[in-house]
Amino acid sequence: MKNEERFMREAIRLSEESVKNGGGPFGAVIVKDGKIIAAASNKVTQNNDPTAHAEVSAIREAAKKLNTFNLSGCEIYTSCEPCPMCFGAVYWARLDKLYFANTKQDAKAIGFDDSFIYEEINLPYERRKIPNIQILRNEALKAFKDWEENEDKTEY
């Protein structure tokens, strides 16, 4: 567990540095073959970007560096259990393993409560806090049909 602890300590260091720089208390590193290939901290407020979470930023950096959207063979270390967006990104990136330090309950205790998102996902469209209104489905299905019939597509 020595290497794992070293990588997690770097994610934690990034989270502490982020707080000092006016950001949220989150850091993440992505490791491939025992080396850190990407590192990021939360930059939501600095970049005015609600998706600039540490995990998403690290995934973007690793994908760019490796020139691939498939991060199989990599692991992510995060200073906190990922939010729903980041959790989804970890799976979409096909990372092999997720290590985390703080829990989502720890995050909730300091004001980062994502439980409402988990609840919203399970609600019918009409009961969600942000109106979810489906329109033009039949027109939109054409792109899905085109994708399905495309023999040269890159599946992901």
Side-chain angles (χ1 to χ4, degrees):
M1 271 295 200
K2 286 284 188 212
N3 277 340
E4 289 87 349
E5 289 175 3
R6 181 169 56 91
F7 299 138
M8 184 58 74
R9 284 192 178 99
E10 179 60 12
I12 293 168
R13 186 192 69 73
L14 289 165
S15 71
E16 293 169 348
E17 185 178 287
S18 181
V19 173
K20 290 176 188 165
N21 293 325
F26 305 100
V29 298
I30 294 181
V31 173
K32 182 175 178 69
D33 299 327
K35 293 185 178 86
I36 294 175
I37 61 162
S41 61
N42 182 284
K43 296 266 192 284
V44 170
T45 56
Q46 293 99 320
N47 295 354
N48 291 317
D49 179 354
T51 68
H53 290 202
E55 298 90 338
V56 169
S57 296
I59 288 168
R60 288 175 180 159
E61 183 183 323
K64 186 175 182 177
K65 189 174 207 175
L66 297 175
N67 196 33
T68 182
F69 56 82
N70 184 333
L71 297 180
S72 296
C74 298
E75 301 172 339
I76 189 166
Y77 293 77
T78 71
S79 63
C80 185
E81 185 175 3
C83 74
M85 176 182 68
C86 295
F87 189 72
V90 165
Y91 277 81
W92 285 121
R94 304 216 175 18
L95 290 156
D96 289 355
K97 243 180 227 177
L98 162 68
Y99 294 87
F100 65 93
N102 293 320
T103 66
K104 60 186 172 186
Q105 291 81 13
D106 296 328
K108 180 178 180 176
I110 63 163
F112 292 93
D113 184 6
D114 298 322
S115 60
F116 74 98
I117 296 172
Y118 292 107
E119 293 164 7
E120 285 283 300
I121 289 170
N122 291 319
L123 290 175
Y125 302 138
E126 66 276 1
R127 292 194 41 223
R128 293 179 179 169
K129 286 183 177 76
I130 296 175
N132 286 223
I133 303 157
Q134 183 180 29
I135 62 172
L136 300 179
R137 178 175 180 256
N138 289 335
E139 290 181 33
L141 283 172
K142 183 180 180 314
F144 279 20
K145 185 175 186 249
D146 293 347
W147 168 262
E148 191 175 43
E149 293 172 355
N150 183 354
E151 293 178 12
D152 295 326
K153 66 184 170 236
T154 302
E155 298 203 27
Y156 57 96

